[in-house]
């Protein structure tokens, strides 16, 4: 393969590094970890020895033939090493840049939050759990920790790659900071939560580099199958040696099979294609996840993602845009729509929330009511408070209020006003449609209702339909009341919803699904999400979330995007599919190899067997060479597929299977027949054999 | 010709028609549900439990279940071995036959305990009535029942959720013998006796030949010894329990073991009946009949394909037979035509080919024609069925649990291809199950390849062959395939009664019987402890046509990959020699 081809999945430097690594990986200790390739390794050593013996006259075959086989066997080993090395390459490059962020910095250690002046400057490596440090603008945060005092904007691009700074502040769900990130403005007091060597950054480096990559159960199970097949093929070739002696003895001729030819047959039959690419597939899956800016705490978690059949998704941000928008003014009790719009706009002037803005905008759009200067009259704004649960404005003696229906009702009735049945009905109707009603009152007279609507993200329905076809159920989690939730759920096309969700409710729901045999995935960020995250089979914690949430989850989403879960599932499935498809391909290949090698070996004994040489290969030697060359080249040819993963579509399991069987099963049977013929023609034309 | 085809269709139709109700019946027996025989047999059952001190509600762990099954087989083995060695001094021996050599006794005991019934001897000149009846017939019942019991345990493994126990081996064994084997064999034996199969303890009778025969050395033979004895009672379980060990040396080709076309039909159908019916038992008891039907169809389609290969090749005969009009191999109303060498003219091509394919499909091994004389490809089909691990219906119980092992492998590869960690019947397939499933599926290739590979290197083995060249190699390969599939049939030309062959074949039989059995129970135990995964559109369906074909493909692929070279040197080479 030429350099131009490699650039499709790696750059030149990476390739150079991978080639170097391919040779380093020749150490027996590394080879032993992969039983199938270890067999090829041992076979290479064996034929090398046979070649040396042949030079000294102890001939198994003619030395040129043995040398040829030996070279190709060693290339096969190197190609497998290269596949693994190139897969590791991307992770290694990422790890290098992360290591740059992990440099030792000076930390401003303080004895207590009250004594911020008593700073002792210590190296960050010496910090212990529970130590307090102060970090000021421009300084790097020395270790993972929780913010206990202050608020600051932090540049986390070193780990997330996202250049826009994020806010970190004490208390709440945004208190976690990561060592290696930089404070841009203001200052923070941080309680250190992890020590040198076990920080988030350390874990991240280990993960992307695959240093402590453990084989997943699924990988082990596949390896068992491959080893079992290899053992069978070992017995097939050894017994074939015996059969050959026996049959030749019966015919009174010398046995036609040499050890070298049988070793070549063994290596061809053993599932070397998948054996060589197996670890590359696993590493590449992890790497794809990293590219999606998700960090898995184990390879197991990615595979579990492929199995997930329930997704619990937060409504806000995933299903709907983060904010609601006013979409209609519905006047009641004889008030005009314009009157209502006017009052609503007044009440929302000081309201900086997206909802408040949208009221102002809607009034402008519908009645061209211009935005008024807030300072020009004697307006006194009443901000929203948890106690009154209303907001509004007093203009002179005129009192305008807007708020939730029950709050306004209470306020109006208390003041001696009227709350009509018509208003009640409109409020109910909006709720039923999944909207949020805001009632507006002017001087204790109810003018009407603003319809705030959740905006469903574009294309989300199709996404859920795709998921359903794959057999994945989506559950919407929302704090809304059941009526609103049901309406949004219906519009977005989710399968079910959990309304008025509490952390306990989520946990109970996960447990219930799991007891029915489902595998549940969820995302979460808050500390109170931690129990549910710990319970879920796949739990993606937001990087913006708390330390507790991050520890409870088995993946961290550095982008903190709630839709990431769908991406994670896709990567998990793709990983397993790649493994299965290449295994099928590898085993299906054996048929053609048999048709090449068996007639080649026994044509002298039973000339009739030449009928099995359906590819019409030129000579027994060229047949064996073609098979073994194909066997080596197919590894290289499939490296891009192993790294990118097989194409994944959102269809049912049955359709996915028939498609992949057709491509990799049938393709695996046909491709080698054609390829062997081509190689045979090339090597005989070039006069190599 | 149409008549011949109809004959094949009739055999298959009768088989399926009987298998379905029997499957339901056996399902009820497994669960201890009431059946029409309960009133009659429950007291016997209770008596057995009381006498043996069996707790009928015990739920054994898989290890205990496996230990019980193996222990039971070991005791059976020792008992049978002693009877065979000492038959000379034991009663019921009117012909005063001596005890067997140690290696023949070892081989025969291993053969009957493993439900193989490979016979390196000829029954009528080697074994006393006691050996036949108390030794072999008893094993015909219990070795078959052990296979069914293990299958029941496996089915329970799929049904149970987060549970440790998979039932009691002793209860399963007792129920199988009492409710399934005994009634079925009773009906069959009575049917056979009605057709003229002997059932007595009398001495061998002398009978005058209608037409005197002049032997090679010039002596004229006018009388013949007619061997008698308790034959029907042994032939019934021999067929129904996929045992296959003939009462007489030439098995059901002997006119007294299989006298009439009707007895032939009875024996041939009963040969596949329980293995076929167990597929329906499986579907019924896991409460998903479609799963059972899928497995049945996979087996049935393979059976039909192999039947077609053998039937067509035997019917076509060989160019050598028809050369210069030496033999008339035409199919006419008067004769079946084709390759009749080694076949009984009263059965013809259809009944012989069907039997040959059924018996090698079912790990039965009884024969009504000599497989050694089949055409190369006709013989290849019988050999390959054994090499596939006897999963085209296979032995009672063990055929189905072998096939479930293959289903697990299939689900594993297919499951990966749809992007999920694989599951079968709602249970996740993890490394432990994979390890065990590969043992179940690969024990047969392992046993055959190692056994025949070693045998090919032993110079004395060549002396046992009846033919030189490729056919001689086929004889050797067939012998180990028969042992490695726990089948027991033979390419008749092969003289197997030598110390090396007796011992090595005996060891192969024991290996391929008990390794998959223990591995199957391990799967059962592990499955029982797992939770059940919910079914969704993302679940790989295991009851549709695609899965059936995939399962067939995996079975054939593993067989082909393991035996392509061996078959190329045997039947395939012979085939090309034949047509060249």
């Amino acid at each position: 393969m030429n350099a131009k081809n490699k650039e499709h999945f790696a750059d030149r430097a990476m390739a150079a590094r991978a080639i170097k690594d391919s040779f380093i990986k020749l150490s027996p200790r590394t080879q032993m970890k992969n039983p199938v390739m270890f067999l090829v390794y041992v076979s290479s050593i064996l034929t090398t020895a046979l070649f040396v013996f042949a030079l000294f006259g102890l001939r198994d075959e003619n030395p040129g033939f043995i040398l040829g086989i030996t070279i190709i066997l060693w290339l096969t080993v190197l190609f497998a090493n290269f596949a693994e090395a190139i897969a590791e390459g991307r992770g290694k490059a990422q790890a290098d840049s992360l290591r740059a962020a992990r440099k030792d910095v000076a930390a401003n250690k303080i004895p207590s939050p009250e004594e911020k002046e008593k700073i002792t400057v210590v190296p960050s490596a010496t910090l212990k759990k529970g130590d307090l440090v102060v970090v000021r603008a421009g300084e790097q945060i020395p270790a993972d920790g929780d913010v206990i005092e202050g608020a600051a904007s932090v540049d986390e691009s070193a780990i997330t790659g996202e250049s826009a700074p994020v806010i970190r502040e004490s208390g709440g769900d945004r208190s976690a900071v990561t060592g290696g990130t930089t404070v841009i403005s203001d200052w923070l007091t941080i309680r250190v939560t992890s020590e040198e060597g076990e920080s988030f950054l350390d874990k991240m480096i280990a993960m992307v580099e695959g240093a402590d990559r453990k084989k997943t159960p699924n990988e082990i199970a596949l390896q068992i199958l491959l080893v079992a097949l290899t053992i069978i093929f070992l017995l097939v070739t050894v017994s074939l040696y015996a059969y050959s002696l026996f049959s030749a003895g019966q015919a009174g001729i010398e046995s036609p099979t040499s050890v070298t030819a049988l070793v070549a047959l063994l290596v061809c039959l053993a599932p070397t294609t998948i054996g060589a690419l197996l670890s590359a597939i696993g590493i590449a899956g992890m790497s794809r996840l990293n590219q999606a800016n998700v960090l898995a705490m184990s390879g197991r978690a990615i595979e579990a993602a492929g199995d997930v059949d329930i997704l619990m998704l937060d409504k806000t941000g995933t299903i709907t845009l983060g904010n609601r928008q006013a979409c209609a003014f519905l006047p009641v009790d004889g008030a005009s729509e314009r009157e209502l719009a006017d009052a609503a706009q007044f009440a929302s002037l000081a309201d900086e929330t997206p909802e408040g803005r949208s009221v102002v905008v809607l009034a402008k759009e519908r009645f061209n009511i211009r935005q008024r200067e807030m300072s020009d009259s004697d307006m006194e704004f009443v901000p929203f408070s948890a106690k009154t649960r209303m907001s509004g404005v007093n203009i002179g003696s005129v009192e305008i209020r807007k708020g939730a229906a029950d709050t306004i009702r209470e306020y109006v009735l208390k003041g001696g006003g009227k709350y009509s049945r018509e208003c009640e009905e409109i409020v109910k109707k909006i709720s039923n449609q999944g909207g949020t009603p805001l009632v507006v009152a002017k001087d204790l007279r109810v003018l009407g209702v603003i319809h705030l609507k959740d905006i469903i993200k574009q294309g989300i329905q199709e996404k859920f339909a795709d998921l359903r076809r794959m057999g994945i159920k989506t559950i919407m989690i929302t704090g809304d009341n059941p009526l609103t939730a049901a309406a949004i759920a219906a519009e977005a096309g989710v399968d079910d919803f959990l309304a008025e969700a509490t952390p306990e409710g989520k946990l109970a729901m996960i447990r219930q699904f799991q007891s029915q045999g489902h595998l549940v995935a969820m995302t979460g960020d808050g500390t109170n999400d931690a129990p549910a995250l710990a319970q879920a089979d796949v739990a993606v914690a937001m990087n913006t979330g708390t330390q507790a949430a991050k520890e409870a989850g088995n993946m961290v989403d550095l982008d903190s995007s709630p839709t990431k879960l769908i991406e994670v599932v896709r990567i998990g499935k793709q990983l397993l599919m790649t493994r299965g498809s290449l295994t099928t391909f590898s085993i299906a290949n054996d048929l053609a190899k048999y048709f090449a090698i068996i007639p080649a070996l026994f044509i002298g004994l039973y000339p009739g067997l030449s009928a099995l040489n359906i590819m019409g290969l030129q000579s027994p030697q060229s047949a064996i060479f073609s098979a073994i060359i194909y066997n080596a080249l197919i590894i290289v040819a499939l490296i891009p597929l192993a790294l990118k993963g097989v194409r994944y579509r959102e269809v049912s399991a049955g359709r996915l299977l028939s498609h992949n069987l057709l491509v990799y099963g049938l393709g695996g049977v046909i491709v080698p027949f054609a390829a062997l013929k081509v190689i045979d023609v090339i090597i005989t034309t070039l006069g190599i054999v | 010709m149409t008549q011949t085809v109809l004959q094949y269709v009739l055999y298959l139709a009768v088989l399926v028609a009987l298998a379905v109700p029997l499957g339901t019946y056996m399902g009820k027996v497994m669960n201890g549900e009431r059946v029409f025989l309960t009133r009659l047999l429950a007291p016997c059952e209770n008596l057995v439990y009381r006498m043996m001190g069996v707790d009928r509600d015990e739920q054994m762990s898989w290890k205990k279940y496996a230990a019980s099954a193996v222990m039971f087989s070991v005791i059976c083995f020792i008992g049978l071995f002693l009877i065979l060695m000492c038959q000379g001094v034991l009663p019921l021996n009117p012909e005063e036959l001596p005890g067997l050599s140690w290696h023949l006794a070892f081989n025969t005991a291993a053969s009957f305990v493993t439900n193989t019934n490979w016979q390196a001897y000829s029954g009528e000149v080697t074994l006393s009535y006691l050996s036949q009846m108390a030794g072999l017939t008893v094993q015909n019942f219990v070795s078959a029942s052990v296979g069914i019991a293990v299958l029941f345990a496996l089915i329970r493994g799929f049904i149970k959720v987060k549970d440790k126990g998979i039932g009691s081996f002793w209860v399963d064994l007792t129920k199988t013998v009492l409710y399934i084997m005994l009634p079925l064999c009773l009906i069959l034996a009575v049917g056979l006796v009605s057709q003229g199969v002997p059932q007595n303890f009398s001495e061998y009778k002398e009978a005058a030949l209608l037409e005197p025969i002049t032997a090679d050395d010039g002596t004229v033979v006018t009388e013949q010894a007619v061997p008698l004895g308790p034959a029907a009672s042994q032939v019934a379980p021999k067929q129904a329990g996929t045992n296959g060990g003939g009462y007489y040396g030439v098995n059901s080709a002997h006119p007294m073991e299989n006298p009439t076309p009707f007895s032939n039909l009875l024996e041939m159908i009963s040969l596949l009946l329980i293995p076929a019916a167990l597929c329906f038992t499986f579907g019924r008891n896991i409460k998903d009949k479609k799963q059972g039907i899928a497995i049945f169809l996979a087996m049935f389609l393979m059976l039909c394909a192999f039947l077609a290969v053998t039937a067509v090749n035997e019917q076509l005969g060989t160019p050598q037979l028809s050369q210069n009009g030496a033999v008339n191999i035409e199919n006419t109303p008067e004769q079946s035509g084709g390759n009749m060498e080694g076949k009984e003219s009263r059965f013809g091509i259809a009944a012989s080919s069907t039997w040959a394919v059924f018996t090698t499909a079912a790990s039965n091994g009884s024969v009504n024609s000599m497989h050694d004389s089949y055409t190369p490809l006709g013989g290849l089909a019988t050999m390959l069925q054994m090499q596939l691990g006897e999963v085209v219906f296979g032995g009672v119980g063990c055929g189905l649990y072998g096939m479930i092992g293959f289903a697990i492998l299939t689900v594993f590869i297919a499951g990966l291809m749809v992007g999920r960690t694989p599951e079968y019947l709602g249970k996740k397939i993890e490394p432990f199950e994979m390890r065990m499933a590969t043992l179940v599926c690969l024990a047969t290739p392992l046993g055959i390849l190692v056994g025949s590979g070693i045998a090919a290197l032993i110079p004395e083995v060549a002396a046992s062959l009846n033919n030189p060249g490729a056919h001689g190699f086929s004889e050797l390969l067939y012998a180990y395939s028969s042992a490695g599939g726990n089948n027991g049939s033979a390419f008749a030309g092969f003289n197997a009664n030598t110390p090396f062959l007796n011992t090595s074949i005996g060891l192969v039989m024991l290996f391929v019987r008990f390794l998959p059995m223990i591995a199957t129970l391990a799967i059962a135990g592990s499955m029982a402890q797992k939770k059940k995964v919910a079914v969704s559109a993302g679940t790989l369906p295991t009851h549709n046509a695609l899965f059936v074909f995939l399962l067939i493909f995996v079975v054939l692929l593993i067989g082909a990959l393991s035996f392509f070279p061996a078959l190329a040197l045997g039947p395939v080479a012979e085939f090309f020699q034949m047509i060249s």
Side-chain angles (χ1 to χ4, degrees), chain A residues 8 217 271 300 341 525 639:
Chain A
H8 287 305
R300 216 179 167 136
D525 54 3
I639 291 176

Side-chain angles (χ1 to χ4, degrees), chain A residues 243 250 307 470 517 577 594 660, chain B residues 416-417 421 446 452 469 534 538 561:
Chain A
Y243 297 159
Q250 292 263 306
D307 292 348
M470 291 157 55
M577 276 166 54
Y594 263 138
N660 285 340
Chain B
L416 283 184
M417 274 199 283
T421 48
L446 209 79
S452 60
L561 293 181

Side-chain angles (χ1 to χ4, degrees), chain B residues 51-126:
Chain B
M51 276 166 49
M52 302 202 309
V54 170
D55 169 11
R56 62 187 307 159
D57 297 319
E58 185 179 4
Q59 291 294 319
M60 293 180 172
S61 69
W62 78 263
K63 283 181 183 153
K64 188 170 180 194
Y65 201 105
S68 309
V70 171
M71 192 60 74
F72 177 75
S73 300
V74 167
I75 291 167
C76 288
F77 176 87
I78 294 171
L80 181 54
F81 183 76
L82 291 178
I83 292 178
L84 294 174
M85 291 282 283
C86 312
Q87 70 169 8
V89 295
L90 293 171
L92 280 177
N93 187 6
E95 298 299 312
E96 291 175 3
L97 296 163
L100 275 54
S101 66
W102 68 267
H103 52 85
L104 184 58
F106 167 78
N107 181 281
T108 308
S111 169
F112 278 77
V113 167
T114 58
N115 196 242
T116 310
N117 298 25
W118 168 265
Q119 292 166 296
Y121 62 88
S122 232
E124 62 271 43
V125 293
T126 318

Side-chain angles (χ1 to χ4, degrees), chain A residues 144-353:
Chain A
D144 295 352
D146 278 322
V147 178
I148 55 166
E149 213 181 327
S153 59
V154 178
D155 174 9
E156 294 193 339
S157 60
I159 50 168
T160 62
E162 173 61 54
S163 52
V166 292
I167 302 293
R168 295 291 177 219
E169 59 195 359
S170 61
D173 289 343
R174 292 193 290 183
S175 62
V177 289
T178 312
T181 56
T182 312
V183 175
I184 297 181
S185 66
D186 307 298
W187 56 271
L188 295 171
T189 304
I190 295 163
R191 178 181 287 119
V192 175
T193 53
S194 76
E195 286 168 28
E196 175 78 4
E198 50 188 54
S199 70
F200 184 65
L201 207 54
D202 289 317
K203 281 186 207 157
M204 206 168 149
I205 290 170
M207 270 328 287
V208 297
E209 208 173 31
D212 55 355
R213 203 178 87 85
K214 286 198 189 70
K215 282 187 185 136
T216 60
N218 178 261
E219 227 174 329
I220 293 170
L222 179 56
Q223 196 146 59
I224 289 167
L225 178 68
L226 298 182
V227 169
L229 286 174
T230 307
I231 291 172
I232 285 294
F233 290 132
L234 191 64
L235 291 176
V236 166
T237 35
V238 173
S239 66
L240 188 58
Y241 190 67
Y243 297 159
S244 171
L245 281 176
F246 177 86
S247 302
Q250 292 263 306
I253 60 168
E254 210 172 302
S255 174
T257 50
S258 65
V259 174
T260 311
L262 283 177
V263 167
L265 174 65
L266 172 60
V267 170
C268 281
L269 293 181
T272 48
T273 313
I274 179 66
L277 298 174
L278 189 56
S279 66
I281 294 169
I283 297 166
M286 193 72 101
S287 178
R288 276 200 297 281
L289 198 66
N290 291 339
Q291 278 177 328
N293 248 347
V294 177
L295 203 64
M297 293 305 157
S298 70
R300 216 179 167 136
I302 309 181
E303 281 169 15
D307 292 348
V308 158
D309 58 356
I310 303 261
L311 290 188
M312 304 212 348
L313 300 166
D314 276 325
K315 184 194 80 177
T316 312
T318 314
I319 297 166
T320 61
L321 295 171
N323 36 53
R324 283 172 267 221
Q325 286 184 353
C327 68
F329 296 114
L330 302 163
V332 297
D333 305 339
S336 75
E337 195 182 342
R338 191 190 167 92
E339 200 181 347
L340 168 63
D342 190 56
Q345 195 187 45
F346 264 117
S348 305
L349 279 179
D351 187 347
E352 285 296 323
T353 64

Side-chain angles (χ1 to χ4, degrees), chain B residues 102-446:
Chain B
W102 68 267
H103 52 85
L104 184 58
F106 167 78
N107 181 281
T108 308
S111 169
F112 278 77
V113 167
T114 58
N115 196 242
T116 310
N117 298 25
W118 168 265
Q119 292 166 296
Y121 62 88
S122 232
E124 62 271 43
V125 293
T126 318
L127 297 182
S128 72
Y129 291 165
L130 183 84
S131 298
Q132 294 270 32
M133 204 173 61
L136 304 188
T137 308
V138 168
Q139 287 314 311
N140 279 353
F141 276 101
V142 294
S143 70
S145 302
V146 169
I148 297 179
V150 170
L151 176 70
F152 285 175
L154 178 62
I155 295 175
R156 282 192 202 103
F158 284 114
I159 305 169
K160 295 202 168 190
V161 177
K162 293 191 171 176
D163 200 336
K164 282 212 159 62
I166 50 172
S168 160
F169 171 71
W170 306 112
V171 172
D172 287 340
L173 182 70
T174 310
K175 278 191 194 298
T176 308
V177 172
L178 274 180
Y179 287 86
I180 300 171
M181 288 302 291
L182 278 176
L184 206 62
C185 292
L186 188 67
I187 298 169
L188 207 54
V190 171
L192 290 173
V193 168
S194 79
Q195 298 300 305
V197 179
Q199 179 69 19
N200 55 41
F201 288 125
S202 91
E203 289 174 15
Y204 291 1
K205 292 278 192 302
E206 295 290 321
L209 289 174
L210 291 175
E211 196 181 331
I213 295 172
T214 312
D216 289 341
D217 56 1
T219 50
V220 177
V221 183
T222 55
E223 279 199 328
Q224 147 180 52
V226 179
L228 298 169
S233 62
Q234 187 178 337
V235 173
K238 162 196 119 179
Q239 294 303 101
T242 61
N243 290 288
Y247 185 82
Y248 299 109
V250 292
N251 215 305
S252 284
H254 196 285
M256 292 172 71
E257 187 151 337
N258 186 8
T260 66
F262 182 67
S263 73
N264 192 62
L265 180 71
L266 270 185
E267 291 183 17
M268 199 160 68
I269 297 300
S270 58
L271 183 164
L272 267 185
L273 187 56
I274 295 183
L278 281 171
C279 298
F280 300 108
T281 306
F282 171 69
R284 176 190 185 271
N285 283 15
I286 59 163
K287 297 195 174 58
D288 189 349
K289 288 191 176 159
K290 284 182 184 164
Q291 304 285 358
I293 293 171
I295 298 258
F296 172 83
L297 279 178
M299 293 175 163
F300 188 74
L301 290 176
M302 277 194 276
L303 181 78
C304 293
F306 283 113
L307 182 57
V309 170
T310 301
V312 167
N313 277 288
E314 293 313 304
Q315 194 70 58
L316 288 177
T318 68
Q320 285 75 15
L321 280 176
S322 56
Q323 207 170 25
N324 308 324
V327 180
N328 178 7
I329 57 169
E330 253 175 85
N331 177 278
T332 63
E334 286 75 41
Q335 67 160 23
S336 66
N339 170 30
M340 281 302 290
E341 185 192 309
K343 300 188 181 68
E344 292 285 295
S345 56
R346 64 207 159 104
F347 300 136
I349 296 290
S352 301
S353 301
T354 310
W355 186 301
V357 171
F358 276 20
T359 196
T360 46
S363 114
N364 185 294
S366 65
V367 293
N368 73 350
S369 58
M370 297 302 120
H371 296 184
D372 197 25
S373 303
Y374 274 53
T375 58
L377 295 187
L380 182 143
T382 61
M383 207 185 305
L384 186 56
Q385 288 203 92
M386 299 188 291
Q387 291 166 341
L388 295 181
E390 286 297 4
V391 292
V392 184
F393 292 111
V396 286
C398 50
L400 184 52
Y401 67 64
M403 194 56 150
I404 291 173
F406 274 103
I408 289 176
L409 289 196
T410 307
V411 153
F412 183 79
I413 297 171
L416 283 184
M417 274 199 283
V418 303
R420 300 220 335 174
T421 48
E423 65 211 39
Y424 185 52
L425 306 178
K427 305 277 187 156
K428 285 247 175 254
I429 310 295
E430 285 167 301
F432 183 77
E433 289 77 38
M434 271 313 275
R435 200 168 288 141
M436 295 302 144
T438 50
L439 289 182
V440 173
C441 298
L442 299 181
T444 294
L446 209 79

